[in-house]
Amino acid sequence: MDPVKMPVEPPKKRRIGVLTSGGDAPGMNGAVRAVVRMAIHSDCEAYAIFEGYEGLVNGGNMIRQVHWEDVRGWLSRGGTLIGSARSMAFRERAGRLRAAKNMVLRGIDALVVCGGDGSLTGADVFRAEWPSLLSDLIAAGELTAEQVEPYKALNIVGLVGSIDNDMSGTDATIGCYSSLARICDAVDDVFDTAFSHQRGFVVEVMGRHCGWLALMSAISTGADWLFIPEMPPRDGWEDDMCSIITKNRKERGKRRTIVIVAEGAQDRQLNKISSSTIKDILTQRLGLDTRTTVLGHTQRGGAACAYDRWLSTLQGVEAVRAVLEMGTQSPSPVITIRENKIMRTPLMEAVQATKDVTAKIHEKNFEAAMTERDAEFKEYYHAYLNTATPEHPKMILPEGKRMRIAIIHVGAPAGGMNQATRAAVAYCLTRGHTPLAIHNGFPGLCRHHADKPISSVREVQWLESDSWVNEGGSDIGTNRSLPSEDMETTAKCFDLYKFDALFVVGGFEAFTAVSQLRQAREKYDAFKIPLVVLPATISNNVPGTEYSLGSDTCLNTLIDFCDAIRQSASSSRRRVFVIETQGGKSGYIATTAGLAVGAVAVYIPEEGIDIKMLSRDIDFLRDNFIRDKGANRAGKIILRNETASHTYTTQVIADMIKEEAKGRFESRAAVPGHFQQGGKPSPMDRVRALRMSIRCMQHIESYGGKSRDEIAADPTSASVIGVKGSQVLFSPMGGDSGLEATETDWKRRCPKSEFWLELQDVVNMLSGRSAAHAHE
Ligand code: ATP
């Protein structure tokens, strides 16, 4: 072979390549956009490698430099715009030799690979072989030692892009929640038909080796029965399934039957269980009019949901950071997420752990497969079992441990409130507790003592709560009023209804209410019971958590609104939309929505708005429109939280922009208002509601049999459940180190330190606003 004659210029800037590989997944474009912009922001050059490893092997035009403007609008696009492929050539060393040569010739020595476990295995093989690939290329005369010298080390960082969520070591993969959303939309739709005709539906979802999509969709839609590859049903499952479904229909009065089956479902002997087999069993044994729906590729497509946009963006940024921080000998990391924390995990460990799960399934060691898949996965599975088939005789607690657990909603409605209540009710019934719903908050509770003795406290039956599985808002009714309005009556009602515990679902008012009850324990023994808050508010401003139910539903509604409005200005119109978000005094929703839609700027109350800021932003917009050419042109979005400024209202800002644009572009104000709270809760809010709610019930249950004074002496008996970094914790409200004293900004009604504030920098960096402001 002839040595390459062309001399290679040592690159002035570091060149980082990015590729997407394996099956496409929503959010891959967001990851590519973030990698490209973060690379450019970090003074590197970004290269897109088209068609996955195939592009790396073939080189030429399949490896192209990408500029800032090239990735405009990519966040809202489905699939992968740089293409994906399954490359046979890259599986062979000869292919990888060609890939290495192409990289050296193009001066690329860092690669961000977004794909599934196969793609990441390929990446690690490539990295491990890199030195030997280079020496082979020199030995074969393909490259000279001089050419190779600057590229001796190859840095590879993995991003997990896959709808299956099958990678160990991460709670979510880029794409899985979008796919789950598509499945839930479809099942919610068949739900209505199933109910109308009292039919059964067997819905087959993707997942050859991993049951995550099946499990989460079963939780989100209240499926009667579930089949996943990791945990095959016990032998004789046909009888078990028919018995549960008969019980649900005949004894409990359920009109619709939903069975979710992962495509890789199997029995304990590893024989496939197909959707048609299940349908036949239900039809023949129960005489149930049953239909099968195989969702197929609709589960893959479409725009990414809010979470995937957020995740892919933050992980893409983190991947570039990892590249820049890696030494020459550093093992490749994969970027993961644990609860709310973006982390780095050794790539091969994650890939190996994933392979181990598959091996455990083949060995029929299903318990180990469940444990090794992910601790969270197992927890969700048991939570599903507890709520789907309540009243297991074995699960019922002894009499002295059973409790009367009151459930109340406080504050504004938020997606997930109903699902949290449903899960609590189902858990209570499974364990022998009495679930008591308090209608319409604290005023509802106290109504008993008003002139009309109508009780707003009611025992909830399973069938009623089961119907809340996909409903938005609050079915038992929520109210902002606090117990301090009538503490005396509140205490009397606690005694009257013999509450042994109170489960409060809501926002900052819920937090305040429990704080008041806790403080009133000195005077009223009635409050010396476990008091637990499950945060649910679109503002996400409850101390003790980084995530509140309802915030994800709100974000999804907002991004749909922004995408639609932005599209209205595509092609010819140069238009800026100033969109007002809810969130009260917290800029959380505005900031995270800004991250998910790629907003030009986000105005939040924590920062305020001033004239200099507006003036700089108008200059930035002007400059932006000058550079904005070609197919990606669409409207631009500015998000303004409703309380960001008294003076600079949404309309005023839109008018100022219009005036200053001097005809070069125009602007419009838009206020989605209460639209943001609404609709069916997102799957993430549904599944987290279930998980958190069951944790709360277990926490409450741990006080069973304890005396009131013992309970009151335990700081965690009045607490908030929340996500903090990579953990889910109960944080005590009271005491010197409790949330009330240390973490609460009572005046602004939010936590003292807000974890998401640093996301503002990412929004500004990715829009180019921070660079524009820095140049002023
Ligand atoms: P999905 O989760 O959608 O299946 P994946 O990344 O696991 O995605 P694969 O088809 O397994 O998809 O892998 C994608 C590509 O990665 C392969 O076509 C191949 O080019 C490369 N690849 C996979 N495994 C290896 C390996 N062991 N060595 C080299 N390359 C590999």
Side-chain angles (χ1 to χ4, degrees), residues 132-164:
S132 70
L133 292 174
L134 295 189
S135 23
D136 280 10
L137 286 167
I138 296 170
E142 295 259 346
L143 293 173
T144 65
E146 217 184 348
Q147 283 175 311
V148 160
E149 187 55 34
Y151 308 107
K152 282 256 167 85
L154 170 69
N155 292 149
I156 288 199
V157 178
L159 291 172
V160 201
S162 165
I163 61 164
D164 293 333

PDB file of all heavy atoms in Angstrom, residues 132-164:
ATOM      1  N   SER A 132      -2.451  -0.156  18.945  1.00  0.00           N
ATOM      2  CA  SER A 132      -2.026  -1.191  17.994  1.00  0.00           C
ATOM      3  C   SER A 132      -2.540  -0.882  16.590  1.00  0.00           C
ATOM      4  O   SER A 132      -1.879  -1.198  15.596  1.00  0.00           O
ATOM      5  CB  SER A 132      -2.486  -2.575  18.452  1.00  0.00           C
ATOM      6  OG  SER A 132      -3.894  -2.666  18.335  1.00  0.00           O
ATOM      7  N   LEU A 133      -3.674  -0.240  16.491  1.00  0.00           N
ATOM      8  CA  LEU A 133      -4.172   0.155  15.161  1.00  0.00           C
ATOM      9  C   LEU A 133      -3.195   1.138  14.524  1.00  0.00           C
ATOM     10  O   LEU A 133      -2.835   1.024  13.340  1.00  0.00           O
ATOM     11  CB  LEU A 133      -5.566   0.800  15.267  1.00  0.00           C
ATOM     12  CG  LEU A 133      -6.726  -0.113  15.681  1.00  0.00           C
ATOM     13  CD1 LEU A 133      -8.007   0.706  15.896  1.00  0.00           C
ATOM     14  CD2 LEU A 133      -6.985  -1.192  14.633  1.00  0.00           C
ATOM     15  N   LEU A 134      -2.736   2.100  15.370  1.00  0.00           N
ATOM     16  CA  LEU A 134      -1.801   3.100  14.832  1.00  0.00           C
ATOM     17  C   LEU A 134      -0.497   2.425  14.402  1.00  0.00           C
ATOM     18  O   LEU A 134       0.020   2.715  13.316  1.00  0.00           O
ATOM     19  CB  LEU A 134      -1.532   4.187  15.875  1.00  0.00           C
ATOM     20  CG  LEU A 134      -2.722   5.073  16.280  1.00  0.00           C
ATOM     21  CD1 LEU A 134      -2.250   6.236  17.143  1.00  0.00           C
ATOM     22  CD2 LEU A 134      -3.482   5.618  15.065  1.00  0.00           C
ATOM     23  N   SER A 135       0.039   1.517  15.241  1.00  0.00           N
ATOM     24  CA  SER A 135       1.304   0.889  14.808  1.00  0.00           C
ATOM     25  C   SER A 135       1.115   0.041  13.564  1.00  0.00           C
ATOM     26  O   SER A 135       1.980   0.021  12.698  1.00  0.00           O
ATOM     27  CB  SER A 135       1.991   0.107  15.928  1.00  0.00           C
ATOM     28  OG  SER A 135       1.099  -0.261  16.889  1.00  0.00           O
ATOM     29  N   ASP A 136      -0.032  -0.620  13.454  1.00  0.00           N
ATOM     30  CA  ASP A 136      -0.282  -1.397  12.223  1.00  0.00           C
ATOM     31  C   ASP A 136      -0.342  -0.480  11.008  1.00  0.00           C
ATOM     32  O   ASP A 136       0.141  -0.828   9.925  1.00  0.00           O
ATOM     33  CB  ASP A 136      -1.621  -2.144  12.332  1.00  0.00           C
ATOM     34  CG  ASP A 136      -1.487  -3.421  13.155  1.00  0.00           C
ATOM     35  OD1 ASP A 136      -0.409  -3.594  13.773  1.00  0.00           O
ATOM     36  OD2 ASP A 136      -2.447  -4.209  13.192  1.00  0.00           O
ATOM     37  N   LEU A 137      -0.957   0.677  11.185  1.00  0.00           N
ATOM     38  CA  LEU A 137      -1.071   1.610  10.051  1.00  0.00           C
ATOM     39  C   LEU A 137       0.310   2.105   9.624  1.00  0.00           C
ATOM     40  O   LEU A 137       0.600   2.260   8.435  1.00  0.00           O
ATOM     41  CB  LEU A 137      -1.978   2.794  10.415  1.00  0.00           C
ATOM     42  CG  LEU A 137      -3.487   2.471  10.477  1.00  0.00           C
ATOM     43  CD1 LEU A 137      -4.264   3.586  11.148  1.00  0.00           C
ATOM     44  CD2 LEU A 137      -4.053   2.208   9.073  1.00  0.00           C
ATOM     45  N   ILE A 138       1.179   2.330  10.641  1.00  0.00           N
ATOM     46  CA  ILE A 138       2.549   2.774  10.310  1.00  0.00           C
ATOM     47  C   ILE A 138       3.290   1.626   9.612  1.00  0.00           C
ATOM     48  O   ILE A 138       3.912   1.812   8.561  1.00  0.00           O
ATOM     49  CB  ILE A 138       3.320   3.217  11.579  1.00  0.00           C
ATOM     50  CG1 ILE A 138       2.627   4.450  12.201  1.00  0.00           C
ATOM     51  CG2 ILE A 138       4.776   3.540  11.240  1.00  0.00           C
ATOM     52  CD1 ILE A 138       3.141   4.823  13.572  1.00  0.00           C
ATOM     53  N   ALA A 139       3.171   0.442  10.222  1.00  0.00           N
ATOM     54  CA  ALA A 139       3.882  -0.719   9.654  1.00  0.00           C
ATOM     55  C   ALA A 139       3.458  -1.003   8.219  1.00  0.00           C
ATOM     56  O   ALA A 139       4.261  -1.368   7.380  1.00  0.00           O
ATOM     57  CB  ALA A 139       3.627  -1.942  10.526  1.00  0.00           C
ATOM     58  N   ALA A 140       2.166  -0.764   7.956  1.00  0.00           N
ATOM     59  CA  ALA A 140       1.659  -1.040   6.603  1.00  0.00           C
ATOM     60  C   ALA A 140       1.941   0.128   5.660  1.00  0.00           C
ATOM     61  O   ALA A 140       1.588   0.079   4.480  1.00  0.00           O
ATOM     62  CB  ALA A 140       0.162  -1.301   6.662  1.00  0.00           C
ATOM     63  N   GLY A 141       2.532   1.176   6.199  1.00  0.00           N
ATOM     64  CA  GLY A 141       2.842   2.333   5.358  1.00  0.00           C
ATOM     65  C   GLY A 141       1.643   3.192   5.025  1.00  0.00           C
ATOM     66  O   GLY A 141       1.694   4.044   4.148  1.00  0.00           O
ATOM     67  N   GLU A 142       0.586   3.000   5.747  1.00  0.00           N
ATOM     68  CA  GLU A 142      -0.629   3.813   5.494  1.00  0.00           C
ATOM     69  C   GLU A 142      -0.478   5.213   6.078  1.00  0.00           C
ATOM     70  O   GLU A 142      -1.019   6.175   5.568  1.00  0.00           O
ATOM     71  CB  GLU A 142      -1.838   3.134   6.124  1.00  0.00           C
ATOM     72  CG  GLU A 142      -2.175   1.800   5.512  1.00  0.00           C
ATOM     73  CD  GLU A 142      -3.332   1.895   4.557  1.00  0.00           C
ATOM     74  OE1 GLU A 142      -4.030   2.910   4.568  1.00  0.00           O
ATOM     75  OE2 GLU A 142      -3.511   0.953   3.779  1.00  0.00           O
ATOM     76  N   LEU A 143       0.243   5.269   7.201  1.00  0.00           N
ATOM     77  CA  LEU A 143       0.491   6.560   7.848  1.00  0.00           C
ATOM     78  C   LEU A 143       1.944   6.575   8.300  1.00  0.00           C
ATOM     79  O   LEU A 143       2.543   5.508   8.505  1.00  0.00           O
ATOM     80  CB  LEU A 143      -0.415   6.741   9.080  1.00  0.00           C
ATOM     81  CG  LEU A 143      -1.912   6.875   8.871  1.00  0.00           C
ATOM     82  CD1 LEU A 143      -2.629   6.878  10.219  1.00  0.00           C
ATOM     83  CD2 LEU A 143      -2.265   8.159   8.110  1.00  0.00           C
ATOM     84  N   THR A 144       2.486   7.777   8.480  1.00  0.00           N
ATOM     85  CA  THR A 144       3.855   7.844   8.987  1.00  0.00           C
ATOM     86  C   THR A 144       3.821   8.069  10.495  1.00  0.00           C
ATOM     87  O   THR A 144       2.803   8.531  11.038  1.00  0.00           O
ATOM     88  CB  THR A 144       4.612   9.030   8.345  1.00  0.00           C
ATOM     89  OG1 THR A 144       3.976  10.239   8.769  1.00  0.00           O
ATOM     90  CG2 THR A 144       4.617   8.935   6.833  1.00  0.00           C
ATOM     91  N   ALA A 145       4.969   7.772  11.138  1.00  0.00           N
ATOM     92  CA  ALA A 145       5.048   7.968  12.599  1.00  0.00           C
ATOM     93  C   ALA A 145       4.799   9.435  12.937  1.00  0.00           C
ATOM     94  O   ALA A 145       4.191   9.772  13.957  1.00  0.00           O
ATOM     95  CB  ALA A 145       6.411   7.529  13.090  1.00  0.00           C
ATOM     96  N   GLU A 146       5.236  10.292  12.069  1.00  0.00           N
ATOM     97  CA  GLU A 146       5.068  11.734  12.272  1.00  0.00           C
ATOM     98  C   GLU A 146       3.585  12.131  12.265  1.00  0.00           C
ATOM     99  O   GLU A 146       3.122  12.906  13.092  1.00  0.00           O
ATOM    100  CB  GLU A 146       5.767  12.419  11.106  1.00  0.00           C
ATOM    101  CG  GLU A 146       6.467  13.680  11.457  1.00  0.00           C
ATOM    102  CD  GLU A 146       7.036  14.289  10.162  1.00  0.00           C
ATOM    103  OE1 GLU A 146       7.051  13.591   9.116  1.00  0.00           O
ATOM    104  OE2 GLU A 146       7.418  15.452  10.215  1.00  0.00           O
ATOM    105  N   GLN A 147       2.889  11.548  11.305  1.00  0.00           N
ATOM    106  CA  GLN A 147       1.453  11.860  11.199  1.00  0.00           C
ATOM    107  C   GLN A 147       0.694  11.408  12.432  1.00  0.00           C
ATOM    108  O   GLN A 147      -0.233  12.060  12.907  1.00  0.00           O
ATOM    109  CB  GLN A 147       0.849  11.146   9.973  1.00  0.00           C
ATOM    110  CG  GLN A 147       1.175  11.806   8.662  1.00  0.00           C
ATOM    111  CD  GLN A 147       0.649  10.978   7.506  1.00  0.00           C
ATOM    112  OE1 GLN A 147       0.869   9.766   7.445  1.00  0.00           O
ATOM    113  NE2 GLN A 147      -0.056  11.627   6.591  1.00  0.00           N
ATOM    114  N   VAL A 148       1.118  10.270  12.952  1.00  0.00           N
ATOM    115  CA  VAL A 148       0.400   9.648  14.052  1.00  0.00           C
ATOM    116  C   VAL A 148       0.711  10.304  15.402  1.00  0.00           C
ATOM    117  O   VAL A 148      -0.120  10.338  16.305  1.00  0.00           O
ATOM    118  CB  VAL A 148       0.768   8.131  14.052  1.00  0.00           C
ATOM    119  CG1 VAL A 148       0.493   7.493  15.382  1.00  0.00           C
ATOM    120  CG2 VAL A 148       0.036   7.412  12.933  1.00  0.00           C
ATOM    121  N   GLU A 149       1.930  10.854  15.493  1.00  0.00           N
ATOM    122  CA  GLU A 149       2.442  11.365  16.763  1.00  0.00           C
ATOM    123  C   GLU A 149       1.423  12.196  17.584  1.00  0.00           C
ATOM    124  O   GLU A 149       1.218  11.926  18.768  1.00  0.00           O
ATOM    125  CB  GLU A 149       3.730  12.174  16.492  1.00  0.00           C
ATOM    126  CG  GLU A 149       4.482  12.631  17.728  1.00  0.00           C
ATOM    127  CD  GLU A 149       4.840  11.475  18.673  1.00  0.00           C
ATOM    128  OE1 GLU A 149       5.124  10.351  18.196  1.00  0.00           O
ATOM    129  OE2 GLU A 149       4.784  11.698  19.908  1.00  0.00           O
ATOM    130  N   PRO A 150       0.747  13.183  16.980  1.00  0.00           N
ATOM    131  CA  PRO A 150      -0.153  13.997  17.834  1.00  0.00           C
ATOM    132  C   PRO A 150      -1.400  13.252  18.310  1.00  0.00           C
ATOM    133  O   PRO A 150      -2.148  13.772  19.123  1.00  0.00           O
ATOM    134  CB  PRO A 150      -0.576  15.163  16.911  1.00  0.00           C
ATOM    135  CG  PRO A 150       0.261  15.076  15.694  1.00  0.00           C
ATOM    136  CD  PRO A 150       0.765  13.685  15.593  1.00  0.00           C
ATOM    137  N   TYR A 151      -1.649  12.069  17.788  1.00  0.00           N
ATOM    138  CA  TYR A 151      -2.933  11.398  18.084  1.00  0.00           C
ATOM    139  C   TYR A 151      -2.740  10.079  18.801  1.00  0.00           C
ATOM    140  O   TYR A 151      -3.526   9.141  18.626  1.00  0.00           O
ATOM    141  CB  TYR A 151      -3.711  11.183  16.772  1.00  0.00           C
ATOM    142  CG  TYR A 151      -3.833  12.467  16.000  1.00  0.00           C
ATOM    143  CD1 TYR A 151      -3.096  12.674  14.848  1.00  0.00           C
ATOM    144  CD2 TYR A 151      -4.657  13.486  16.480  1.00  0.00           C
ATOM    145  CE1 TYR A 151      -3.173  13.876  14.167  1.00  0.00           C
ATOM    146  CE2 TYR A 151      -4.735  14.701  15.808  1.00  0.00           C
ATOM    147  CZ  TYR A 151      -3.987  14.883  14.658  1.00  0.00           C
ATOM    148  OH  TYR A 151      -4.066  16.083  14.008  1.00  0.00           O
ATOM    149  N   LYS A 152      -1.680  10.004  19.593  1.00  0.00           N
ATOM    150  CA  LYS A 152      -1.341   8.731  20.244  1.00  0.00           C
ATOM    151  C   LYS A 152      -2.443   8.221  21.178  1.00  0.00           C
ATOM    152  O   LYS A 152      -2.598   7.033  21.378  1.00  0.00           O
ATOM    153  CB  LYS A 152      -0.038   8.893  21.029  1.00  0.00           C
ATOM    154  CG  LYS A 152       1.174   8.863  20.121  1.00  0.00           C
ATOM    155  CD  LYS A 152       1.835   7.503  20.263  1.00  0.00           C
ATOM    156  CE  LYS A 152       2.872   7.194  19.222  1.00  0.00           C
ATOM    157  NZ  LYS A 152       4.190   7.721  19.558  1.00  0.00           N
ATOM    158  N   ALA A 153      -3.168   9.172  21.781  1.00  0.00           N
ATOM    159  CA  ALA A 153      -4.234   8.746  22.717  1.00  0.00           C
ATOM    160  C   ALA A 153      -5.588   9.060  22.100  1.00  0.00           C
ATOM    161  O   ALA A 153      -5.771  10.096  21.466  1.00  0.00           O
ATOM    162  CB  ALA A 153      -4.091   9.482  24.031  1.00  0.00           C
ATOM    163  N   LEU A 154      -6.488   8.138  22.285  1.00  0.00           N
ATOM    164  CA  LEU A 154      -7.859   8.368  21.785  1.00  0.00           C
ATOM    165  C   LEU A 154      -8.785   8.469  22.999  1.00  0.00           C
ATOM    166  O   LEU A 154      -8.787   7.591  23.859  1.00  0.00           O
ATOM    167  CB  LEU A 154      -8.292   7.191  20.907  1.00  0.00           C
ATOM    168  CG  LEU A 154      -9.772   7.151  20.513  1.00  0.00           C
ATOM    169  CD1 LEU A 154     -10.118   8.282  19.554  1.00  0.00           C
ATOM    170  CD2 LEU A 154     -10.128   5.814  19.869  1.00  0.00           C
ATOM    171  N   ASN A 155      -9.541   9.531  23.065  1.00  0.00           N
ATOM    172  CA  ASN A 155     -10.518   9.673  24.153  1.00  0.00           C
ATOM    173  C   ASN A 155     -11.899   9.340  23.635  1.00  0.00           C
ATOM    174  O   ASN A 155     -12.349   9.932  22.652  1.00  0.00           O
ATOM    175  CB  ASN A 155     -10.531  11.108  24.693  1.00  0.00           C
ATOM    176  CG  ASN A 155      -9.248  11.459  25.419  1.00  0.00           C
ATOM    177  OD1 ASN A 155      -8.823  12.592  25.423  1.00  0.00           O
ATOM    178  ND2 ASN A 155      -8.613  10.475  26.031  1.00  0.00           N
ATOM    179  N   ILE A 156     -12.535   8.412  24.297  1.00  0.00           N
ATOM    180  CA  ILE A 156     -13.894   8.056  23.899  1.00  0.00           C
ATOM    181  C   ILE A 156     -14.825   8.226  25.081  1.00  0.00           C
ATOM    182  O   ILE A 156     -14.503   7.815  26.205  1.00  0.00           O
ATOM    183  CB  ILE A 156     -13.960   6.607  23.362  1.00  0.00           C
ATOM    184  CG1 ILE A 156     -13.280   6.564  21.997  1.00  0.00           C
ATOM    185  CG2 ILE A 156     -15.404   6.128  23.263  1.00  0.00           C
ATOM    186  CD1 ILE A 156     -13.617   5.395  21.136  1.00  0.00           C
ATOM    187  N   VAL A 157     -15.957   8.845  24.830  1.00  0.00           N
ATOM    188  CA  VAL A 157     -16.978   8.991  25.872  1.00  0.00           C
ATOM    189  C   VAL A 157     -18.292   8.458  25.309  1.00  0.00           C
ATOM    190  O   VAL A 157     -18.639   8.738  24.159  1.00  0.00           O
ATOM    191  CB  VAL A 157     -17.134  10.469  26.296  1.00  0.00           C
ATOM    192  CG1 VAL A 157     -18.238  10.608  27.341  1.00  0.00           C
ATOM    193  CG2 VAL A 157     -15.831  11.013  26.859  1.00  0.00           C
ATOM    194  N   GLY A 158     -18.993   7.675  26.120  1.00  0.00           N
ATOM    195  CA  GLY A 158     -20.259   7.103  25.666  1.00  0.00           C
ATOM    196  C   GLY A 158     -21.457   7.863  26.205  1.00  0.00           C
ATOM    197  O   GLY A 158     -21.443   8.381  27.332  1.00  0.00           O
ATOM    198  N   LEU A 159     -22.472   7.951  25.372  1.00  0.00           N
ATOM    199  CA  LEU A 159     -23.786   8.440  25.808  1.00  0.00           C
ATOM    200  C   LEU A 159     -24.755   7.308  25.488  1.00  0.00           C
ATOM    201  O   LEU A 159     -24.687   6.746  24.393  1.00  0.00           O
ATOM    202  CB  LEU A 159     -24.201   9.677  24.999  1.00  0.00           C
ATOM    203  CG  LEU A 159     -23.414  10.960  25.230  1.00  0.00           C
ATOM    204  CD1 LEU A 159     -23.833  12.019  24.204  1.00  0.00           C
ATOM    205  CD2 LEU A 159     -23.661  11.476  26.636  1.00  0.00           C
ATOM    206  N   VAL A 160     -25.640   6.987  26.414  1.00  0.00           N
ATOM    207  CA  VAL A 160     -26.517   5.858  26.123  1.00  0.00           C
ATOM    208  C   VAL A 160     -27.790   6.356  25.444  1.00  0.00           C
ATOM    209  O   VAL A 160     -28.638   6.985  26.070  1.00  0.00           O
ATOM    210  CB  VAL A 160     -26.885   5.062  27.390  1.00  0.00           C
ATOM    211  CG1 VAL A 160     -27.321   3.666  26.973  1.00  0.00           C
ATOM    212  CG2 VAL A 160     -25.735   4.985  28.353  1.00  0.00           C
ATOM    213  N   GLY A 161     -27.871   6.075  24.166  1.00  0.00           N
ATOM    214  CA  GLY A 161     -29.066   6.436  23.397  1.00  0.00           C
ATOM    215  C   GLY A 161     -29.764   5.152  23.017  1.00  0.00           C
ATOM    216  O   GLY A 161     -29.247   4.352  22.235  1.00  0.00           O
ATOM    217  N   SER A 162     -30.919   4.907  23.608  1.00  0.00           N
ATOM    218  CA  SER A 162     -31.645   3.663  23.337  1.00  0.00           C
ATOM    219  C   SER A 162     -33.031   3.780  23.947  1.00  0.00           C
ATOM    220  O   SER A 162     -33.160   4.260  25.067  1.00  0.00           O
ATOM    221  CB  SER A 162     -30.890   2.500  23.981  1.00  0.00           C
ATOM    222  OG  SER A 162     -31.719   1.370  24.047  1.00  0.00           O
ATOM    223  N   ILE A 163     -34.036   3.328  23.218  1.00  0.00           N
ATOM    224  CA  ILE A 163     -35.377   3.444  23.808  1.00  0.00           C
ATOM    225  C   ILE A 163     -35.617   2.370  24.871  1.00  0.00           C
ATOM    226  O   ILE A 163     -36.542   2.481  25.669  1.00  0.00           O
ATOM    227  CB  ILE A 163     -36.497   3.381  22.741  1.00  0.00           C
ATOM    228  CG1 ILE A 163     -36.472   2.052  22.001  1.00  0.00           C
ATOM    229  CG2 ILE A 163     -36.414   4.560  21.799  1.00  0.00           C
ATOM    230  CD1 ILE A 163     -37.757   1.786  21.243  1.00  0.00           C
ATOM    231  N   ASP A 164     -34.790   1.334  24.880  1.00  0.00           N
ATOM    232  CA  ASP A 164     -35.065   0.187  25.759  1.00  0.00           C
ATOM    233  C   ASP A 164     -34.752   0.418  27.230  1.00  0.00           C
ATOM    234  O   ASP A 164     -35.234  -0.304  28.078  1.00  0.00           O
ATOM    235  CB  ASP A 164     -34.244  -1.027  25.309  1.00  0.00           C
ATOM    236  CG  ASP A 164     -34.704  -1.543  23.958  1.00  0.00           C
ATOM    237  OD1 ASP A 164     -35.879  -1.347  23.643  1.00  0.00           O
ATOM    238  OD2 ASP A 164     -33.880  -2.122  23.236  1.00  0.00           O
TER     239      ASP A 164
END
